[in-house]
Amino acid sequence: VRRVHAMVAYAREGEVTKSAKARGSDLRTHFKNMRETAMAIKKMELAEAKKYLEEVIAMRRCIVFRRYCGGVGRTAQAKNEGSTNGQGRWPKKSAEALLGILKNAESNAEVKGLDVDSLSVYHIQVNRAVQQRRRTYRAHGRINPYMSSPCHVEVILQEATEAVKKEAENPRRIGAKEARRNAARLKNGSTNA
């Protein structure tokens, strides 16, 4: 069931003239899988993130599971992605949904007249959505809940800014009083000078 959503505030705002946003609400993909997939592309350049997700869908690269990793199997691909525990999976549905959101954000950036080649994932966040309820039938006539765990995703792409070179700092000036105190400490042989 698709609901029409009103304008919703994003958790973080990018520079308005240099960023483009996109979001997905009540996506029928597992929250935990989507969270791990989102963290994998955080701070990546847009082209790199899209290529990575396409390779995950094709099972050539994996998503490393770092937080929600209970019972997740190990794979040699996880080692290449910088995993410490070797646990990884290929959450196809989450990767496809996230790829769609990235493409949407990219076209929003094009409409705004941004340079698509210099975009990177500035902000990405996944929240739990309201669970959908079904039931499963158990032994001895009992019924248990059979819930789905959908999620909301928001993405902000931002153009890379040139880093401003920091000016060399002047060493801290010592006042006359502090200089006398330091001299007295050295004279007395105090260790905490």
Side-chain angles (χ1 to χ4, degrees), residues 8-24:
V8 184
Y10 282 66
R12 193 170 173 190
E13 291 296 333
E15 260 185 78
V16 179
T17 55
K18 293 186 175 184
S19 64
K21 304 187 282 192
R23 67 186 301 132

Side-chain angles (χ1 to χ4, degrees), residues 32 36 65-73 85 87 89:
K32 292 180 180 183
E36 297 292 357
F65 276 58
R66 298 177 194 277
R67 179 178 294 175
Y68 299 111
C69 57
V72 173
N85 56 15
Q87 292 175 298
R89 279 184 175 168

Side-chain angles (χ1 to χ4, degrees), residues 10 47 56 58 71 81 89 103 120-121 132 134 136 169 175 192:
Y10 282 66
V56 167
E81 306 302 333
R89 279 184 175 168
K103 285 177 178 171
S120 61
V121 180
Q132 293 180 335
R134 287 182 292 170
T136 185
E169 282 186 28
N192 56 353

